[in-house]
Amino acid sequence: MLSQQPEADALLDRNPLALVIGMVLDQQIPLEKAFSSPYVLAERLGHVPDAAEIAAMPEEDLVAIFSKPPALHRFPGSMAKRVQAMCRAVADRYDNDVTKIWTGATDGRDLLKRVGALPGFGNQKAQIFVALLGKQYGVDLPGWREAAGDYGPEGTYKSVADIRDPESLAKVRDYKKQLKAAAKATG
């Protein structure tokens, strides 16, 4: 549901690295673009890559793949480097298995710490990803809702963690518009 493209959403559901890449890319572009880009990346490579493959690619090759029209992100060069750094961390720290980030976590606080240590994840993005894992991917660690902060409660529509259908997508978009309007009014 995140990309609004069935093939891309199927990849997100079956390939956890694709989901993490989409989350890394989810900034300064529409979320549908961010979460469809892992599918486009796989198409351009001719297969679904693992973290070690992306980590080992020459940086200029990955940047070229990200930059090919239509670019995978508004800032293809910097985001290719960020995705590659994240993949290096997964390959090195988690034996090339991104799921070890959450399967090896002891609780929500530990999960937040692990996600937040990845390149491309600040605290807010880490909280959103913890909420996404808990709300939609069955990662039910003790304390995950608390670790996810404002994004953890049931029935909220604040982030990608809450998008399940067109109606919830519209609610998340409305929430973000309200935040921007409030920021403009006080800024």
Side-chain angles (χ1 to χ4, degrees):
M1 180 63 219
L2 297 177
S3 77
Q4 303 289 300
Q5 298 175 17
E7 304 87 6
D9 285 332
L11 178 63
L12 297 174
D13 287 342
R14 75 174 181 273
N15 187 288
L17 181 63
L19 184 67
V20 177
I21 290 171
M23 194 70 204
V24 169
L25 297 176
D26 187 22
Q27 62 184 61
Q28 299 185 357
I29 60 173
L31 69 95
E32 296 91 343
K33 173 77 171 169
F35 286 98
S36 67
S37 287
Y39 179 77
V40 176
L41 175 62
E43 281 188 319
R44 290 179 182 178
L45 291 171
H47 62 279
V48 177
D50 66 11
E53 179 183 352
I54 294 173
M57 288 180 79
E59 181 181 285
E60 60 274 7
D61 291 355
L62 189 60
V63 169
I65 291 167
F66 267 66
S67 299
K68 179 182 172 186
L72 298 185
H73 194 276
R74 180 177 171 196
F75 304 109
S78 62
M79 295 311 284
K81 293 172 189 174
R82 191 167 293 164
V83 166
Q84 188 170 47
M86 181 276 296
C87 286
R88 257 190 217 112
V90 168
D92 294 346
R93 292 183 215 152
Y94 298 102
D95 299 320
N96 203 34
D97 182 356
V98 74
T99 65
K100 288 184 178 181
I101 294 169
W102 48 91
T103 60
T106 56
D107 59 22
R109 182 177 288 145
D110 186 36
L111 176 58
L112 180 64
K113 181 180 170 188
R114 288 164 167 252
V115 173
L118 292 173
F121 284 83
N123 187 60
Q124 182 181 30
K125 187 176 280 198
Q127 286 182 317
I128 291 169
F129 194 68
V130 167
L132 179 62
L133 290 172
K135 289 180 175 182
Q136 295 194 40
Y137 289 91
V139 178
D140 192 20
L141 293 168
W144 74 263
R145 286 189 187 276
E146 293 78 12
D150 289 344
Y151 306 101
E154 194 67 41
T156 60
Y157 296 97
K158 295 182 176 184
S159 73
V160 297
D162 303 306
I163 298 171
R164 295 181 180 275
D165 53 33
E167 182 182 328
S168 57
L169 173 61
K171 288 179 181 180
V172 169
R173 287 216 191 289
D174 286 345
Y175 173 76
K176 289 184 177 195
K177 282 180 189 173
Q178 290 171 9
L179 280 182
K180 283 183 183 180
K184 255 187 182 177
T186 61

